[in-house]
Amino acid sequence: MMSSGAERSAVEGPRSTALPVTPRDPSTALGMTARLEGELMEISMGPQHPSTHGVFRMNVALEGEVVRKLKPVFGYLHRNHEKIGENTSYLGSMPYTDRLDYFCSMTNNWAYALSVEKLAAIEVPERAEYLRVILAELTRLQNHASLLGFLLSDMGAWGTPLMYAFREREIILDLFESLSGSRMMCDYMRFGGCRCDLPPGWMERARKVVDAFPRFLDEFERLIVSNEILIARTQNVGRISGELAINAGITGPMLRACGVNYDLRKVDGYGFYPRFKFRVPLGDHGDCYDRLMMRVLEMRESIAILKQAMEQLPAGPIMNPKVKIRAFKPPAGEAYGRIEGPKGELGFYLISDGGPNPYRYRVRPPSFINLTVLEDLCLGHTVADVMVILGSIDIVMGEVDR
Amino acid sequence: MIGSGVLNGMAVTLRNFIGSYFEKDRLITVQYPEEREALPENYRNFPFLVYDTDDAEAGLRCVACKICEKECPPQCILIVKSEDKKPDYMGKQQFYPQVFDIDISVCMSCQICVEVCPFEAIKMDKVFELSRRERFDALLMRKDELAKSNTYYHAIHPLEAAEVDANLAAAAAKKKPAIEPRPTPNATT
């Protein structure tokens, strides 16, 4: 089981000394008497594990059933995204951004469009900004809904919650399909606006979806929130302090679950978010349960934003006519555009040397950076909890490995 | 009371199960190969080439300007421009693509080729059942497979095609037309 001197091994150091048992060791709390003393077993979870949300591997060192060390192994889905971005035109990178976090292509598009707009100082028409807000919030709804489904699926609630979540997600994806032509790879936004205007009848359908969504949320909450099994599995599991979260660069719902009030929609006020009234839900304990509830509460706020945005949506052009998408050459300089994606701060850093391709193209993916604290979250918990913790971080491997 | 949360959840599943028989928005699946849902107007899958009239060779709108080949992000288009000019269906001398291949196993359906085409010659198709038994080359579409009539384009994207035809007619009315006006799709059979 042990490989001495292997750099990628999770187990390091001499094995003769017995490992100290910390007070938070749940195995003692569970009253398990027969436990492997001082012997670590190293197992490799993934990359073909059904709960790792793609191809992701963890080298876990276990003492009995308790995680003592955990080393994540990335890169199975590496597709050279940033280098491709440096070799294609600014327009050509837009469809590739869909494939980063393939659940939230609309927000990826927006983040990239925002940084190009910053780089070339492009104005965006009012209607396009409203459409972006509407689509980003719809994306947030479907991302959070499917995340809750996946998380419950990881906990052993096979099928049912996931199918309910996917049913709602499907309706939103139908909206995306009728607008942009594709369910997941929308490729809808362009620098200086959006690609095409709403098809006839779209807004009425979207209103119906948004009006019907609270019913799903109420039902879903009744399904999970007070469920004793869920509470036992998530409360006090994978706790993270606000201080550690800030130091590790965690963003998004995971940071807010620790009680840190940091939402780029409020902090940066990009797009037209300052025009809308919404609250930022905050957690208290920073455990899996708070992270899960954070998603439920955020969906409610997203619905509030959607209703305001749909009411205020003005008529007008959706594309800045001065921008030519082909042979687009922004002036030399650099820009960092960031938005509050459903998973956290999604940023694109671009350096232009005045040519048709970016000189440097860098993505700041929220799930990758949120994943860096995985070991701190998992230490002292059982193997079964690792999956719950991983699920509550909300990762998409397309974005982590790029 | 312990267990009430679980029972509450069970009530929700029961409600969904019974509701799926009566409420349409609780049962949204269809039995795919037998039942099919209509695709939305904007649905896009893979590109095809539009030709006017009945002649797929002379009516092809593409003049092999190679812009789509250059802009295609995954580089799935191959165009070989003709050496000579041939008369198109209006009798105007035009270059034409000697070879126009799209490897749709590489294509990622981003429709950038459609956006950059100045001649409205390439559009997105709606065909999606394209699995092949062969391993190589079966999804490499040649010019004759890609060429589809304007009538077909009107059938799959009615609103967009009408707009395109109006734009082309307006461009033709200007002093330097991008391409010659063409008969309305109803005139073509």
Side-chain angles (χ1 to χ4, degrees):
Chain A
M1 215 31 97
M2 276 178 204
S3 53
S4 56
E7 292 82 13
R8 296 175 69 189
S9 165
V11 188
E12 288 149 14
R15 217 53 55 72
S16 53
T17 49
L19 281 138
V21 178
T22 49
R24 60 174 177 172
D25 182 352
S27 63
T28 47
L30 291 169
M32 286 160 67
T33 46
R35 199 156 47 80
L36 282 169
E37 285 293 349
E39 183 78 12
L40 285 191
M41 183 168 72
E42 188 188 342
I43 59 165
S44 168
M45 293 174 82
Q48 281 93 13
H49 193 282
S51 294
T52 52
H53 299 247
V55 276
F56 173 59
R57 188 155 73 95
M58 288 167 281
N59 269 341
V60 194
L62 299 174
E63 185 187 11
E65 217 186 333
V66 182
V67 177
R68 287 293 172 220
K69 271 180 182 145
L70 186 146
K71 291 276 173 282
V73 183
F74 308 109
Y76 289 96
L77 205 60
H78 181 62
R79 291 148 320 182
N80 228 340
H81 180 87
E82 291 176 4
K83 207 68 198 168
I84 289 173
E86 285 162 25
N87 288 306
T88 47
S89 63
Y90 284 89
L91 173 65
S93 286
M94 188 62 86
Y96 284 117
T97 61
D98 294 335
R99 278 116 179 125
L100 276 176
D101 173 359
Y102 38 77
F103 272 92
C104 319
S105 62
M106 287 290 187
T107 47
N108 295 347
N109 284 176
W110 192 3
Y112 177 61
L114 196 72
S115 39
V116 177
E117 280 153 12
K118 262 191 180 174
L119 188 64
I122 299 169
E123 295 271 312
V124 182
E126 203 164 329
R127 184 178 171 82
E129 287 278 26
Y130 271 100
L131 280 181
R132 285 177 178 192
V133 169
I134 290 171
L135 294 166
E137 293 308 320
L138 282 174
T139 306
R140 202 181 309 277
L141 283 185
Q142 59 102 349
N143 177 73
H144 285 357
S146 46
L147 168 93
L148 293 175
F150 282 132
L151 183 55
L152 285 155
S153 195
D154 291 348
M155 276 182 227
W158 278 106
T160 309
L162 182 64
M163 285 306 129
Y164 292 171
F166 264 39
R167 185 184 62 200
E168 304 306 313
R169 171 172 177 258
E170 192 63 33
I171 301 170
I172 294 175
L173 290 187
D174 280 350
L175 283 177
F176 288 171
E177 188 184 27
S178 65
L179 173 61
S180 71
S182 190
R183 285 152 39 85
M184 289 170 80
M185 305 295 138
C186 298
D187 184 26
Y188 177 67
M189 290 169 200
R190 292 283 177 264
F191 358 111
C194 299
R195 203 184 68 215
C196 51
D197 211 335
L198 301 177
W202 193 88
M203 202 36 97
E204 286 72 55
R205 276 177 65 195
R207 273 207 191 94
K208 249 184 239 164
V209 170
V210 171
D211 289 341
F213 209 85
R215 187 188 76 166
F216 160 72
L217 272 182
D218 294 342
E219 263 186 13
F220 209 76
E221 270 191 52
R222 221 174 317 137
L223 183 69
I224 59 168
V225 168
S226 57
N227 189 308
E228 287 82 2
I229 303 167
L230 179 110
I231 289 171
R233 289 295 303 276
T234 53
Q235 281 188 353
N236 273 328
V237 170
R239 284 188 77 150
I240 180 172
S241 66
E243 199 186 350
L244 175 63
I246 292 171
N247 288 344
I250 311 271
T251 46
M254 196 173 163
L255 176 67
R256 292 192 286 275
C258 319
V260 182
N261 189 353
Y262 183 75
D263 188 324
L264 285 177
R265 291 177 290 178
K266 292 277 190 199
V267 175
D268 266 16
Y270 64 93
F272 279 166
Y273 277 114
R275 295 192 187 185
F276 305 121
K277 249 186 88 178
F278 64 100
R279 294 172 299 169
V280 177
L282 291 179
D284 209 8
H285 305 91
D287 56 3
C288 284
Y289 188 77
D290 275 17
R291 287 200 278 278
L292 193 151
M293 285 310 293
M294 198 56 48
R295 267 80 185 208
V296 177
L297 296 173
E298 277 197 4
M299 281 199 269
R300 296 214 183 273
E301 294 306 315
S302 286
I303 291 170
I305 297 173
L306 274 168
K307 282 190 173 157
Q308 294 170 51
M310 284 173 169
E311 218 158 84
Q312 296 172 19
L313 180 72
I318 51 152
M319 189 77 194
N320 187 340
K322 280 183 224 153
V323 184
K324 49 171 192 172
I325 51 168
R326 196 159 66 80
F328 175 80
K329 282 182 190 168
E334 53 184 280
Y336 179 65
R338 56 179 190 174
I339 67 162
E340 179 73 34
K343 295 179 169 63
E345 172 185 336
L346 173 65
F348 282 83
Y349 179 58
L350 298 166
I351 303 180
S352 160
D353 55 359
N357 310 334
Y359 173 76
R360 180 77 175 94
Y361 171 97
R362 158 85 190 156
V363 189
R364 185 228 186 261
S367 19
F368 175 59
I369 291 168
N370 291 356
L371 198 54
T372 50
V373 288
L374 184 65
E375 186 176 13
D376 300 81
L377 293 175
C378 292
L379 287 187
H381 292 295
T382 56
V383 185
D385 288 339
V386 171
M387 281 307 146
V388 180
I389 293 165
L390 184 71
S392 74
I393 297 176
D394 190 8
I395 55 162
V396 160
M397 292 321 283
E399 190 175 63
V400 173
D401 293 340
R402 302 194 294 294
Chain B
M1 190 190 86
I2 261 205
S4 62
V6 176
L7 289 177
N8 260 335
M10 292 295 185
V12 172
T13 39
L14 189 68
R15 184 144 173 236
N16 270 281
F17 171 64
I18 296 171
S20 66
Y21 285 95
F22 304 105
E23 291 171 58
K24 206 177 171 304
D25 57 343
R26 283 193 200 271
L27 184 74
I28 57 163
T29 50
V30 293
Q31 299 293 324
Y32 161 61
E34 292 84 25
E35 292 172 51
R36 279 154 195 269
E37 286 191 333
L39 291 171
E41 148 102 29
N42 280 355
Y43 179 78
R44 64 185 145 95
N45 205 5
F46 294 115
F48 71 97
L49 297 172
V50 187
Y51 66 83
D52 295 301
T53 68
D54 290 337
D55 190 351
E57 196 63 34
L60 209 63
R61 289 182 187 173
C62 179
V63 296
C65 67
K66 293 195 167 199
I67 289 174
C68 54
E69 186 189 38
K70 188 166 159 277
E71 292 289 330
C72 175
Q75 298 284 300
C76 68
I77 305 178
L78 172 75
I79 302 174
V80 175
K81 192 178 177 176
S82 63
E83 307 269 306
D84 57 323
K85 288 185 174 183
K86 269 206 306 204
D88 64 3
Y89 73 103
M90 298 292 286
K92 195 182 168 196
Q93 294 287 327
Q94 290 278 23
F95 286 112
Y96 60 94
Q98 242 167 8
V99 176
F100 198 115
D101 293 348
I102 298 180
D103 191 345
I104 62 169
S105 58
V106 175
C107 174
M108 61 178 183
S109 314
C110 65
Q111 81 162 20
I112 281 180
C113 50
V114 177
E115 275 171 71
V116 297
C117 180
F119 300 96
E120 311 278 5
I122 189 164
K123 294 289 166 199
M124 295 310 270
D125 208 341
K126 283 190 178 179
V127 181
F128 55 89
E129 286 162 327
L130 284 162
S131 63
R132 294 283 192 274
R133 281 182 179 277
E134 297 81 19
R135 192 165 158 204
F136 302 105
D137 284 2
L139 287 170
L140 180 67
M141 295 296 192
R142 307 281 179 193
K143 192 170 77 173
D144 50 336
E145 289 165 282
L146 290 169
K148 285 172 184 173
S149 70
N150 196 20
T151 323
Y152 175 78
Y153 178 42
H154 272 267
I156 58 170
H157 297 293
L159 293 175
E160 188 190 301
E163 198 185 320
V164 163
D165 276 5
N167 285 349
L168 287 174
K174 276 189 182 175
K175 59 179 165 55
K176 197 168 180 287
I179 49 168
E180 296 293 315
R182 60 185 47 75
T184 56
N186 298 335
T188 64
T189 42

